[in-house]
Structures are given as structure tokens and as C-alpha cells.
Amino acid sequence: MDPETKNRDEGAPSVWTPANIVTCVRIVFIPVFMVLAELSCIQAGALYDPVLAPAACILYILLSLTDKLDGYLARSRNEITDFGKFLDPIADKLLVFSALLILLEQEFVGVWVVFIILLREFLVSALRMVAGAKGVVIAADTLGKWKTAVTMIALCGYFIAIAIASVGGVYLAAYLVIAAHVLIILAVVLTVVSGVQYFWNGRDVIFS
């Protein structure tokens, strides 16, 4: 290897930054969460297993918190990489839809909730691809950030309710489910409105 190539390779930033490692860990543990959530509701003689249901809940909350952690690490260490930009949105979507699929199967959310959220993500991702090909960056708006936050809180609320119900707190769990229902409806409304706003902001990309 000639010295110029060696120096160039040594100076190239590694994709394995702390932020990207956190993102990869989130992706790896999503199937673990799904297995725990699935097993927690198929135990004989009980609606939810008092060990597996809380374990699934705790793991999901921790995975949700890592969404903020990897972003903070990337910005604070000035280690924003193309690999991270590619992987982080995938990890976020996998985390949301893994929970929605579990809750859909257990009849906590309706199919239309999943469909609307999924449709918005597909359309926005397509718009970003078109904008990226034209060298245009469409920044995330405030409504989109609120949509993400409310969705994550609602999903965590469902799993907290399940965990509480598994240890006998049925009445408290029922109130938490109602609160989660209200939040997921709000999340769907924000999903639609923020999606419309996103396309309005990117209308020049679509029609140019």
C-alpha cells in the first residue's frame, strides 16, 4: 500500500461510532422484544405472564430511549455519518412497527391505525428519495417530531398497561389502555396532518 492510500484510509472516519453502535443494538434487540411480547401472552392459565410481560415492557422502553441517545451521541461527538443517517430511520421504523404488529395481533389497535402510519412512512420515504436524487433536503417539521413522540408514548403506554395487568393491576391497566387509546388516535391525526404538511413543503420537488 502506498503512503498516500495509507494516510487516506487512516484518516477515513469509522462507521462504528458510539451512536451507530447504539443504533445497531436497537435493531438487534427488536426481535428479542417481539419474542418476549409474543410469549408473554400465550402462557397457559394466565392472560399475561408476570415475568415476560414486564420484561418485554422494560425492553421496549429502553429501546425507545436509545432513539434519543444515538442522536445525542452523534451530535455531541460530531460523528454524524452517512451510515447512521441510513440506519437510524430504519431502526426507528422497525421499533414502531414491531410494537404495532404485536398490539394489532393482541387487538389493542385497529388495522387502520397500522395502515395509516405505515402509508405515511412509505410516502414520506419515497418523497425523501426523490428529493435526495435532486439534491434537495426537506427538513423534519415540528408536527413530525410531535407525531413521533406521541406515537412512542402511546406504544409504551400499552406495554406498561400489559405489564401491570400481568401482576394483577387490572383496573389501573384498564385506565392506562384508555389513555393509550387517546394518544394513539392523536398520533394518527398528527401522522396525517404532518404527512400532508411534509408533502406541501416538498411540492416543488414533486411537480418540478
Side-chain angles (χ1 to χ4, degrees):
M1 179 182 297
D2 62 86
E4 182 179 351
T5 303
K6 181 178 179 180
N7 291 335
R8 186 168 61 247
D9 291 342
E10 289 177 348
S14 171
V15 298
W16 296 114
T17 63
N20 290 344
I21 291 173
V22 169
T23 303
C24 290
V25 168
R26 182 156 81 251
I27 291 175
V28 168
F29 275 92
I30 287 173
V32 178
F33 152 72
M34 294 185 73
V35 170
L36 289 174
E38 281 282 288
L39 292 178
S40 70
C41 65
I42 60 175
Q43 302 297 311
L47 181 59
Y48 291 103
D49 184 86
V51 175
L52 296 179
C57 173
I58 292 171
L59 180 56
Y60 191 79
I61 292 174
L62 291 175
L63 292 176
S64 300
L65 292 175
T66 62
D67 176 38
K68 299 299 181 183
L69 177 60
D70 56 11
Y72 169 77
L73 289 173
R75 290 187 297 270
S76 64
R77 296 169 60 89
N78 195 26
E79 293 177 338
I80 299 175
T81 65
D82 290 337
F83 180 71
K85 292 178 183 178
F86 165 76
L87 200 63
D88 184 63
I90 294 176
D92 295 343
K93 290 174 177 56
L94 285 175
L95 187 60
V96 168
F97 286 111
S98 65
L100 285 173
L101 290 174
I102 293 293
L103 294 171
L104 177 63
E105 182 181 50
Q106 298 180 13
E107 300 182 350
F108 282 98
V109 299
V111 66
W112 282 104
V113 170
V114 180
F115 175 76
I116 291 171
I117 294 176
L118 181 61
L119 177 63
R120 190 263 189 194
E121 295 303 328
F122 272 128
L123 292 176
V124 169
S125 296
L127 177 58
R128 283 175 176 161
M129 289 177 62
V130 174
K134 295 182 178 182
V136 178
V137 176
I138 305 176
D141 52 44
T142 302
L143 277 178
K145 294 177 181 178
W146 273 103
K147 178 268 302 180
T148 300
V150 173
T151 301
M152 295 305 300
I153 294 172
L155 296 177
C156 288
Y158 282 115
F159 291 112
I160 292 172
I162 291 172
I164 291 175
S166 72
V167 294
V170 177
Y171 293 107
L172 176 58
Y175 286 114
L176 286 174
V177 168
I178 293 172
H181 282 336
V182 173
L183 287 174
I184 204 67
I185 292 172
L186 177 59
V188 170
V189 173
L190 290 173
T191 294
V192 173
V193 175
S194 66
V196 171
Q197 185 181 57
Y198 200 93
F199 272 83
W200 175 255
N201 294 339
R203 62 191 181 279
D204 293 337
V205 173
I206 301 173
F207 298 107
S208 62

